[in-house]
Amino acid sequence: MIKMTMFLKRHPDISREEFVRHHIEDHGPLFRSIPEAATHVKRYIQTHPVEPPESTVPQADYDGTAEIWFDGPDGMKAVLNSKTYTSKVFPDEKTFLDHENTLILVGEQTDIIG
């Protein structure tokens, strides 16, 4: 299993509130509609920042994260090269993400607790 973690920056033309709303209410269901995702995606979560308790950790300057677990490299390829992703999901990303400043990390996850 592999995991893709994206550190998201919002498109400069939209507010943080609009970014979060679109990410949850529009983009999430759109990604879920990819037929190949039903077979190859094991989990997909979104995280959006909240103010951490005072004096605990510095907050990174990102508008959210998306984490997607795939059954393997071929499954990731199948989803990201699918017709639905390339014709609907990826074009939607261009409406609310700043792709140039969004970071992507693909790797294997190691459980430490849990």
Side-chain angles (χ1 to χ4, degrees), residues 12-64:
D13 293 341
I14 66 171
S15 70
R16 187 175 304 269
E17 294 76 20
E18 179 59 17
F19 168 83
V20 171
R21 188 210 59 76
H22 186 91
H23 195 209
I24 295 170
E25 296 176 15
D26 299 327
H27 191 72
L30 191 58
F31 188 91
R32 194 172 39 239
S33 77
I34 301 170
E36 292 81 359
T39 303
H40 300 293
V41 173
K42 301 304 176 192
R43 189 172 188 202
Y44 168 30
I45 64 170
Q46 299 175 349
T47 303
H48 302 98
V50 297
E51 277 300 313
E54 196 172 318
S55 301
T56 53
V57 295
Q59 187 81 304
D61 187 25
Y62 285 91
D63 298 293

Side-chain angles (χ1 to χ4, degrees), residues 3 7 11-12 23 27 50 57 60-61 65 79 84 86 92 96:
K3 179 181 172 185
F7 298 87
H11 192 284
H23 195 209
H27 191 72
V50 297
V57 295
D61 187 25
T65 65
V79 171
T84 304
T86 59
D92 180 62
F96 77 103

